[in-house]
């Protein structure tokens, strides 16, 4: 693989690979930020169309950062979705532990539902950082890189998220 | 106590794994830490919403083809494909469903008639300013005149009655509830009637249980908040203090049963999810169990509700659920 200038993003296979690798995270990130799955998926499409248009100028290893930036710019001017709707899959309760009673499981279920509502009520910045770390299992360093903020800022937003979550969760 | 956590960003650094041992010890010793731990842990178990990346890629390629943009031309403005937001569809579907399930019929002597089908609940404001919520599989009729307000109820409903000088009466096959202004829950199904008081005062009288018990006024029970009274199919009356979280369980999207017969649990599952449950022939339906289930996930509900029945397992095919010995 010495000189293969065509192995860029304009190459269908590279483009497809990039999409399959990056789109799921981008889409989840956009859901976390906008609270609107339909809009998030539209934005993913728009961002990747832009990538196709610019495939000659974007190196494959920069493609991820490119689509994240484009997607952010695309929704930057839009008003934030009035009502944040975050829908997670119904969690399948592990029934393996014999000691758990229906009351316990219901309590857990309710705790989780309240948590989901509390997360939806968080400010966007705290919410996206919290979910990228908890659900997407990203390290603070990775989040900082992705959002182009300092690691310190990630720590602050995580603290904010936890403090607010506890308060909101309690009030529900 | 909150300030304990507000002062620094130990919480954030804790989840980032950058605390020193001493800091971690300090954090864990703070009051309220257990709650943060549980929140953080539970959030980890949230499952991301499913995404069909392959499908999205196919759609993307379709759009690229429609736009006819050759790779790398750099100037095409992403013409947006108009898509009907599924939320709108669901809204429209819900509106139609509401029209079907909430049938407002004007008949002489009936101001408002309402029905909630299996798997649905309904809410309505009554002409007198009171409001009612109907649990699944419930029929309801309201009529008001100069002297009284009368409801006919079959099923389960929660009332918030506005005081306006006229008594408000709920008639069920098993008895009546009389109030002036208060909130209360009435359960009336299959010979069982149970009334629970949330606020104010509620008067309850049951139809005399056996024909030879004489006619006339049956005993009247007066309930204050937190109290409930019930009559079972055999005419046995019992009074109890039932916390709101049990009597008003369904308003919070769940059902709770404390020492209730299995038959009631099964029937409520069927009503909430519009399903049919088949039990092994001869299974004891009268056994009393403590259980409960949420109203928003059928499989979860079945798993949780059937936990105390250790000898049974369930199989589901669409709307048919079969319980069989393990």
């Amino acid at each position: 693989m010495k000189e293969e200038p065509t192995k860029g993003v304009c190459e269908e296979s590279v483009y497809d690979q990039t999409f399959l690798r990056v789109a799921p995270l981008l889409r989840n990130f956009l859901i976390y930020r906008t609270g609107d799955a339909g809009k998030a998926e539209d934005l993913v499409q728009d961002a990747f169309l832009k990538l196709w248009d610019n495939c000659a100028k974007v190196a494959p290893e920069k493609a991820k950062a490119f689509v994240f930036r484009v997607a952010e710019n695309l929704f930057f001017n839009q008003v934030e979705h009035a009502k944040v709707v975050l829908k997670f899959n119904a969690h399948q309760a592990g029934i393996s532990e014999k000691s758990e009673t229906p009351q316990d499981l219901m309590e857990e279920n309710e705790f989780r539902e309240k948590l989901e509502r509390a997360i939806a009520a968080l400010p966007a910045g705290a919410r996206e950082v919290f979910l990228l770390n908890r659900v997407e299992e990203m390290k603070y360093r990775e989040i900082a890189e992705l959002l182009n903020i300092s690691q310190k800022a990630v720590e602050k937003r995580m603290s904010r998220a936890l403090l607010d979550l506890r308060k909101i969760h309690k009030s529900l | 106590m909150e300030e304990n956590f507000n002062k620094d960003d130990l919480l954030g650094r804790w989840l980032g794994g950058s605390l020193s041992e001493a800091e971690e010890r300090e954090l864990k010793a703070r009051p309220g830490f257990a709650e943060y731990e549980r929140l953080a842990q539970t959030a980890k178990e949230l499952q991301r919403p499913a995404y069909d990346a392959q499908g999205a890629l196919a759609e993307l390629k379709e759009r690229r083809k429609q736009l006819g943009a050759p790779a790398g031309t750099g100037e095409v403005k992403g013409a947006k494909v108009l898509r009907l937001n599924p939320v709108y569809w669901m809204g429209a579907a819900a509106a139609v469903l509401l029209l079907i399930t909430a049938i407002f019929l004007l008949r002489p002597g009936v101001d408002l008639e309402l029905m909630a089908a299996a798997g649905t609940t309904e809410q309505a404001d009554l002409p007198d300013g009171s409001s009612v919520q109907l649990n699944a599989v419930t029929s309801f009729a309201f009529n008001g005149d100069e002297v009284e307000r009368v409801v006919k109820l079959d099923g389960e409903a929660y009332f918030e009655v506005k005081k306006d000088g006229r008594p408000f009466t709920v008639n069920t096959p098993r008895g009546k509830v009389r109030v002036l202004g208060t909130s209360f829950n009435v359960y009336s199904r299959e010979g069982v009637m149970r009334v629970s008081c949330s606020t104010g005062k509620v008067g309850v009288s049951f139809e005399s249980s056996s024909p030879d018990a004489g006619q006339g006024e049956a005993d009247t029970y007066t309930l204050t908040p937190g109290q409930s009274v019930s009559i079972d199919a055999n005419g046995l009356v019992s009074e109890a203090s039932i916390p709101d979280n049990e009597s008003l369980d369904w308003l919070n999207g769940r059902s709770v049963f404390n020492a209730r017969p299995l038959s009631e649990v099964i029937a409520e599952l069927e009503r909430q999810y519009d399903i049919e449950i088949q039990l092994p022939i001869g299974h004891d339906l009268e056994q009393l169990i403590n259980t409960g289930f949420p109203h928003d996930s059928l499989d979860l509900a079945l798993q949780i509700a059937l936990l105390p029945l250790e000898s049974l397992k369930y199989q589901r095919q669409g709307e048919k659920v079969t319980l069989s010995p393990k």
Side-chain angles (χ1 to χ4, degrees), chain A residues 12 15-16 42 113 136 140, chain B residues 12 48 61 64 83 296:
Chain A
E12 285 280 357
Y15 182 84
D16 290 2
D42 286 346
E113 279 175 10
E136 304 302 321
Y140 285 9
Chain B
R48 31 192 131 191
K61 292 193 164 184
R64 252 169 41 189
R83 252 204 275 173
D296 57 355

Side-chain angles (χ1 to χ4, degrees), chain A residues 15-140:
Chain A
Y15 182 84
D16 290 2
Q17 289 302 323
T18 308
F19 183 89
L20 293 176
R21 187 169 50 84
V22 176
L25 176 65
L26 176 61
R27 174 263 198 175
N28 283 355
F29 164 69
L30 291 170
I31 292 179
Y32 301 155
R33 174 164 290 192
T34 63
D36 181 338
K39 189 194 273 180
E41 287 172 18
D42 286 346
L43 284 169
V44 170
Q45 298 263 324
D46 293 343
F48 272 90
L49 278 180
K50 264 273 186 328
L51 176 65
W52 185 247
D53 295 342
N54 292 283
C55 64
K57 301 170 213 156
V58 180
E61 64 274 14
K62 294 269 160 67
K64 181 176 172 185
F66 178 84
V67 288
F68 267 84
R69 218 174 54 241
V70 169
E72 281 200 82
N73 290 341
L74 283 174
F75 74 64
F76 195 71
N77 296 326
Q78 301 180 20
V79 219
E80 200 184 340
H81 194 52
K83 190 172 186 296
V84 173
V85 184
L86 288 171
K87 197 74 200 129
F88 293 94
N89 292 347
H91 184 84
Q92 285 305 305
I95 305 290
S96 52
E97 282 165 64
K98 274 264 172 333
S99 60
E100 289 200 285
T101 65
Q103 280 80 359
D104 287 343
L105 286 172
M106 295 240 296
E107 198 271 335
E108 267 171 46
N109 197 42
E110 269 167 45
F111 186 91
R112 196 170 40 243
E113 279 175 10
K114 278 188 192 171
L115 172 63
E116 289 178 17
R117 279 189 279 150
I119 290 173
L122 285 180
R127 181 172 63 234
E128 68 197 19
V129 166
F130 182 77
L131 290 172
L132 286 174
N133 173 258
R134 296 281 95 191
V135 182
E136 304 302 321
E137 297 175 4
M138 290 174 70
K139 296 194 166 58
Y140 285 9

Side-chain angles (χ1 to χ4, degrees), chain A residues 154-165:
Chain A
V154 175
E155 284 168 3
K156 284 228 166 68
R157 288 200 202 174
M158 279 299 276
S159 291
R160 179 83 267 143
L162 276 170
L163 286 166
D164 285 0
L165 276 181

